[in-house]
């Protein structure tokens, strides 16, 4: 992968999405989905306001045209046209003149970073407000201000997009990223972008698993999708939530609720063999949409890949999470890690050693050093490990974890040994399963 | 808990017991049990000398009125009236005059602590002797001494006390402390005192488990109790031996033989969230009466709570283990830890999340922060953890261990969520069991 | 064990074997087996060239009488009579005169250690060559050299030796060492010597297990043996490969493929309680004949005991692995460790406590300190541990691991307690098995 070139491409795509004022519903998310659809096949779904989705209800649709606070002279001291973060997301319309004293409870600032605008929302409580830099607020005087939010909050639809790439098996890998944040780059245009380019990368390939990419509003979108797909969710074998994958920090992989699934182990393995710093985090029921996928009724094998962890970097949910905060190289390497994880999932075969009694004679097949008395290299060690552990029970990932050798080298060794007739693959059906599976939510949590 | 006030009360109770000359049988232990009975309901049992209890026999009853070593001038150089430790516990009567040379094999001192009197016993070998400070012995001259022990060792009874607090379930929690040591404060008036006050604390409450407090002579008392209650010992679900809980040291919890029982985990959890230093020790077949409860035929879930570990502090089994060595605050905080452990056992419910598909909408129930974009506090995290892991399989203690949040905060969260109809309790019967259980000793260790 | 005396004896035996030019076939290995047979009962097997053994074929037999490189003046500049390492092992015959340029591809040196002769082989590719010190090669000039290898590579036999010591059970312990290396002392005359003396040590004893010592050519010999004994290999319960056990380094025990077998635990325990430095290594499918015993079709419980690990010390496979490199004391202590491991296997009984309810009264049996109030020593702790864990499930090794007390002290305690009627042995049949077992290779790896 040409990281420089790919990175530029990814960053440009994120930059195109950046100015749009997204929210959990409305035209901003529609415009964003349209841009993603220009890159990959995408089916867009619209779910009416009022639809019951488990314990939640699809909210009214929010749209906004303009918003500002103007001083007595009519000068905009806070202006939505400068940054869509200035409006408390989901603000109801307002047009009034009021003194600063009365306005203040509606203003949100970050005193610790006086030049940054915070990002705040009020989805489920009807409210209006402005977010502004602390310095902007300090510059305001005790006079009357004209306050205007030209928004609408009306019955409409919640939009989301799905990109489905069919594979040999009906079993699925889910890649989910939230696409509801306005001008914030790392959280989560980075996730949206890497997911979209991963879909593009995979769309030309012969795949074992089917892949489903979701571009959805956070929380309510994931809940809506799960409610609408409850019967088929049992097909999901592995999943990843992608967020905050564009900054300069090292990787963090947060494990699924189950904690020891194949995706958890594949992600840890790939990060371990990457050239970047990384850490594996335990599951916790806070964060992004893994909260929903890992709720106890579903308990899916879905982890979350990040670079810097949400909430731990100063720029999080502020105007400083901008296009400078995400790096082309970081985006490209995140895409590489995702592709490597997919590669593990796709190729994590179990094999049977066809000559399991003693070692086969590799030398006469040209697979061993011919002069005895000195040790072989990693390629020979990979062959020996694959032969030794291929008893039909150990997957290549098991062998990778035990041997310390990277999956890709072992996978190559397995291919060579298979070509020589020394290994046979455990059948694809036995490995992945290709027939319909009873939806997990139907058989889970029964009280019997 | 007002630690100062409670601590004073505990220390005074211990001080009342301190002067009594206790042994494994006799009037000293009877007088002690009578004092405990003034605090809590206590049934006193008397088991005749000669009763066979497993491999042991209830010994003759020992009583003592006076003992001394007097010099030629009739001056008592060692005097039982000064300290009941001066007599080798269980000494047979003696009245003779003999030179120091002949007396010496009967004298026990501690050269390393020349001012302290050691505590020694000879329960099972008929013997007489004196314990004295090393300085006392050095002051003795090569003249003849009058040696007098006015004791009796005759057929009688072994006494022990039981305080039984019935709960909703017949399943029991056992709290055991040995009450056979003479004037030694930490070992074990501290354990006796904390156990008695724990019983007092629980006696007014609605309890799930039944609680059985034993005040027994060490070793032979526990063996006697187990022999007499062999059929019903299967009811014991959890147990604690209390000893050395009054000194200024940090806590030590010694695990049961099984090593991973609920009491082991509850004790570790409570200590972990206490504000004192602590350590969990592995089981070993030495120590106090956990040796008997954890013998392979019973293998009960009984651990041992201590502050300083017996045998590791210099004052152990000497006259320096006196009322100054135990602290009111230490006693009170030990009582607090015991009460917290009981609290975990009583409330270690498993719940079922009634809305297990995705998260329930906590916001509209007033259980979540209303302005989005910033993280919630520990109370919200506790709610999310309880909801996420309440699949009917995880207990609150499981959740506490995984989340790192204290049991009490999670328990409160579970109550709030239950009130809102989001959780239902797994039935008490399923959790604790209320019907008779075949005694464990009947089904254990069979050779089939 | 008198380490000095035994060490001298072992070193002398190794010294007698040192000058012989061994290979995987031929008279050198026959002469070596004859010397071993002078020490212990040994059955020698001869397997014809061309015999199919799994994926391999028994090679032609190699013998050598002389070899040299002579300069124009007829002076031998490289001379087999000086060191049998000078010939590439298994060289085909050659007698030619050629310029240095043409000779060079047939010369092997070690530039990093210019005075040492490397050891190289070419068993499976027909080739000729010389190994020499780098300084020897530098001294050669650009003239013509007479090159002579008087070897034969013809149909013949592969030889190996077995020493079988029958025990009460048909279940076997396998001790295997390769005996195919020419003048190399640590690798593997040390292993051969320690194995032979271990057999001598055990031959006079009443043994529970039967013991089978193999002195075989590496790789092809182990494969040949396994192919010829495939049906009875299921009798092997424990096994050790011995190699590089004579140098001054600390011990390394490489675990079996299974990784948690009794031999793995016994070896770790013995090393832990030895007075030498040691390390336990994970299994890897490289090394010595454990590669074959631990191939997936057999997956035997065979580990490998070493001091310095092959390939990690500079002298490995060079002329510097000579009689000075192995130490009498190291050899003797390696023998001691092997004997101690055997001792664990032989005596790793499970017992049943005959008085499992509470502790039995050790005092009246003279097995406990009589004066109470002070702690007992390790012998008393050993008795308490054995009694506490002897529920018919825990072996003495289990108890040793949990208690931290050495196997030998626990074993002694178990004997004393058995003598007093407090313990009974779980029957030998139940422990080891004495009847024929279906060969493991017949029931393993079936696809069913």
């Amino acid at each position: 992968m040409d990281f420089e070139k790919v990175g530029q491409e990814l960053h440009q795509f994120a930059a195109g999405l950046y100015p749009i004022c997204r929210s959990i519903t409305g035209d901003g998310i529609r415009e964003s989905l349209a841009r993603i659809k220009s890159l990959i096949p995408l089916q867009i779904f619209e779910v009416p306001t009022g639809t019951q989705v488990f314990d939640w209800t699809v909210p009214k649709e929010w749209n906004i045209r303009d918003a500002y606070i103007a001083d007595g002279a009519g000068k905009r001291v806070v202006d939505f046209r400068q940054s869509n973060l200035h409006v408390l997301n989901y603000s109801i319309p307002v047009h009034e003149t009021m003194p600063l004293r009365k306005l203040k409870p509606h203003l949100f600032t970050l005193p610790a970073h006086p030049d940054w605008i915070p990002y705040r929302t009020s989805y489920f409580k009807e409210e209006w407000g402005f977010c502004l830099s602390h310095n902007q607020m300090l510059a305001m005087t005790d006079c009357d201000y004209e306050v205007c939010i030209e928004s609408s909050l009306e019955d409409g639809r919640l939009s989301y997009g799905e990109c489905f790439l069919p594979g040999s098996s009906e079993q699925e890998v889910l890649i989910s990223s939230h696409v509801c944040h306005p001008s914030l780059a790392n959280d989560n245009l980075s996730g949206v972008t890497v997911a979209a380019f991963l879909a593009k990368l995979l769309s030309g390939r012969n795949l074992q698993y089917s892949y489903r990419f979701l571009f959805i509003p956070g929380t309510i979108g994931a809940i809506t999708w799960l409610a609408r797909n409850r019967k088929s969710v049992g097909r999901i074998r592995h999943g990843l939530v992608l967020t905050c994958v564009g900054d300069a920090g090292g990787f963090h992989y947060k494990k699924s609720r189950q904690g020891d699934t194949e995706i958890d182990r594949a992600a840890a393995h790939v990060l371990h063999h990457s050239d970047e710093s990384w850490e594996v985090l335990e599951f916790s029921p806070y964060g992004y949409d893994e909260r929903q996928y890992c709720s106890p009724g579903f308990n899916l094998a879905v982890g979350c890949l990040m670079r810097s962890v949400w909430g731990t970097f100063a720029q999080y949910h502020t105007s400083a999470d901008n296009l400078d905060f995400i790096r082309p190289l970081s985006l490209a390497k995140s895409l590489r890690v995702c592709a490597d994880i997919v590669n593990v999932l796709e190729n994590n075969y179990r094999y049977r050693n066809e000559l399991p009694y003693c070692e086969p004679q590799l030398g006469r097949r040209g697979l061993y050093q011919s002069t005895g008395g000195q040790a072989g290299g990693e390629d020979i060690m990979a062959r020996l490990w694959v032969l030794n552990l291929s008893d039909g029970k150990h997957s290549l990932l098991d062998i990778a974890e035990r041997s310390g050798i990277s999956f890709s080298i072992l996978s190559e060794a397995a291919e060579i040994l298979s070509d020589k007739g020394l290994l046979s693959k455990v059948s694809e059906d036995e490995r992945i399963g290709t027939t319909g599976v009873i939806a997990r939510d139907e058989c889970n949590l029964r009280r019997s």
Side-chain angles (χ1 to χ4, degrees), chain A residues 169-277:
Chain A
S169 166
E170 288 184 6
Q171 300 292 301
E172 293 185 11
V173 178
L174 183 79
I175 309 288
S176 176
S177 53
H178 60 277
V179 67
C180 55
H181 284 24
S183 293
L184 296 170
N186 200 35
D187 177 18
N188 188 30
L189 294 179
S190 70
V192 169
T193 299
V194 169
F197 277 79
L198 180 64
K200 193 178 166 204
L201 197 71
L202 298 182
S203 61
R205 295 202 195 156
N206 271 333
L207 297 164
Q208 297 296 344
Y209 288 105
S210 297
Y211 287 75
R212 195 175 298 274
F213 291 80
L214 302 186
F215 301 91
I216 51 173
T219 306
I220 186 65
I223 293 168
T224 299
W225 186 86
L226 283 162
R228 289 162 58 93
N229 294 278
R230 185 172 168 174
K231 297 287 179 234
S232 54
V233 100
R235 286 190 194 134
I236 298 171
R237 278 282 299 273
H238 317 287
L240 270 184
V241 169
L242 294 181
T243 182
C244 301
V245 289
D247 64 274
F251 282 103
H252 291 84
Y253 174 77
K254 175 184 161 184
K255 294 199 280 187
S256 72
R257 179 181 184 271
Q258 296 176 58
D260 58 353
T261 64
E262 198 169 338
I263 184 75
D264 296 322
R265 295 168 52 211
H269 176 82
V270 166
L271 291 176
H272 180 74
H273 286 270
S274 77
D275 57 355
E276 297 205 52
S277 73

Side-chain angles (χ1 to χ4, degrees), chain A residues 50 54 69 81 85 127 176 186 196 208 259:
Chain A
F54 296 119
I69 302 172
R81 293 176 310 196
L85 296 179
E127 182 62 87
S176 176
N186 200 35
Q208 297 296 344

Side-chain angles (χ1 to χ4, degrees), chain A residues 41-67:
Chain A
L42 196 75
Q43 189 174 0
I44 291 163
F45 297 85
E46 299 275 353
V47 185
T49 296
T51 305
Q52 192 68 23
V53 287
F54 296 119
D55 192 45
W56 303 62
T57 310
V58 172
K60 289 181 180 165
E61 181 175 328
W62 184 69
N63 282 293
I64 183 161
R65 280 172 307 281
D66 197 5

Side-chain angles (χ1 to χ4, degrees), chain A residues 354-419:
Chain A
E354 293 289 319
L355 299 174
Y357 301 108
C358 300
E359 292 174 7
Q361 195 177 5
L362 297 181
R364 83 174 135 86
R365 295 173 176 91
L367 303 177
Y368 208 74
Q369 68 270 28
S370 60
T371 302
Q374 49 198 350
E378 198 180 34
D379 52 343
I380 287 175
M381 283 310 297
R383 288 168 206 156
L384 293 173
W385 271 111
V386 170
L387 285 168
N388 187 271
L389 291 180
S390 285
D391 49 13
K393 291 177 219 136
H394 294 89
S395 71
L396 284 185
L397 184 53
D398 293 330
I399 301 174
E401 290 176 343
R402 183 154 179 193
S403 68
I405 299 173
S406 84
F407 186 91
S408 54
I409 291 173
L410 291 167
S411 189
E412 203 176 301
E415 230 163 276
I416 290 169
L417 293 166
S418 296
D419 286 352

